[in-house]
Amino acid sequence: MYLPPQFAAKDDRAAADLIREYPFASLISADDEGLPFVTHLPLHLEERGEQWVLLGHCARPNPHWRYLQARPQAVVTFLGPHAYMSPQVYPDLARVPTWNYLAVHCTVQATLIEQPAAKDALLKKLIGDHEPPYAAQWRALGDEFAHKMLAGIVAFELAVTRLQCKLKLNQHRPEAYAGMRQAYAGGGEQEQALGRWMDRLGMVPPADKGGST
């Protein structure tokens, strides 16, 4: 993606936090005609030392797993909080609106998982992310039901080979920090989340950096 230096995350922890906070991803592969094919799905991030792996699955009727089998390299995108930013946040009038957002793009290498036990283990990790108590219900449904359900999906590991994390929060315009923070504090869920990321990135209005004397 287009990534100006001022919007590039300084460390990978920002990317890891965004993936875990906003795990609903877009998996993008080339189909048999060479066109992009997209599946929207939740993914689980597993850090294996320095190697990051994204775990997920799709329905067996979804042709995406066949595209991954034929062409294992793919792209995964995650979109964090995003919101409109009014030019009213600036102290002067010669400004235009924009849209602030946080995003992660991963280039990945896919490996399909077909063994029922391995698929079951992968599902339990996704369950642990979103509804841990459901694990007991899943086990109580019995092996016959579980095998039937597992046969209806294809699971995969997506090893991350390249990572980009874009934090577009107008970092290069410190004169707008105060107005942005005030506007986001009074906004909805998306705006408030962006405001918290401003705090995390130390986006403090210039007059406030030194504190009072």
Side-chain angles (χ1 to χ4, degrees):
M1 63 176 157
Y2 174 56
L3 185 56
Q6 66 267 28
F7 301 142
K10 301 299 186 287
D11 64 78
D12 291 345
R13 296 320 313 164
D17 290 345
L18 280 172
I19 290 171
R20 291 191 169 110
E21 291 171 21
Y22 301 89
F24 194 61
S26 296
L27 173 61
I28 307 164
S29 297
D31 66 14
D32 292 336
E33 297 179 353
L35 296 173
F37 188 91
V38 184
T39 294
H40 305 285
L41 74 173
L43 295 174
H44 170 86
L45 172 62
E46 191 166 272
E47 297 182 57
R48 303 173 183 174
E50 295 185 358
Q51 177 67 66
W52 287 16
V53 178
L54 300 167
L55 307 177
H57 65 86
C58 66
R60 190 168 291 277
N62 183 342
H64 206 146
W65 68 270
R66 298 186 187 277
Y67 302 148
L68 292 174
Q69 187 177 52
R71 292 168 291 276
Q73 190 173 64
V75 170
V76 175
T77 69
F78 298 88
L79 180 62
H82 58 94
Y84 173 80
M85 192 186 79
S86 167
Q88 295 183 30
V89 301
Y90 293 100
D92 58 303
L93 298 179
R95 302 289 182 167
V96 296
T98 190
W99 202 277
N100 282 336
Y101 61 92
L102 313 180
V104 179
H105 285 199
C106 303
T107 302
V108 299
Q109 194 75 12
T111 302
L112 301 186
I113 298 174
E114 285 283 19
Q115 293 298 321
K119 286 197 283 188
D120 181 70
L122 183 149
L123 286 180
K124 285 186 171 66
K125 291 175 182 178
L126 285 166
I127 291 169
D129 286 345
H130 305 291
E131 191 181 5
Y134 178 73
Q137 181 178 333
W138 170 252
R139 288 192 297 269
L141 293 171
D143 292 342
E144 182 178 353
F145 179 85
H147 283 297
K148 181 180 178 181
M149 293 295 101
L150 290 170
I153 66 170
V154 178
F156 36 77
E157 293 188 350
L158 307 171
V160 177
T161 59
R162 185 185 179 208
L163 178 73
Q164 289 182 301
C165 182
K166 186 171 186 177
L167 310 176
K168 183 183 179 295
L169 279 168
N170 230 35
Q171 294 95 317
H172 59 314
R173 302 295 184 192
E175 70 274 17
Y177 287 2
M180 285 173 56
R181 193 64 187 90
Q182 182 178 6
Y184 285 155
E189 181 180 347
Q190 298 279 339
E191 289 85 356
Q192 290 179 31
L194 287 174
R196 291 191 293 272
W197 272 88
M198 286 184 66
D199 297 340
R200 171 173 173 162
L201 296 176
M203 294 175 62
V204 178
D208 295 343
K209 287 185 177 179
S212 58
T213 57

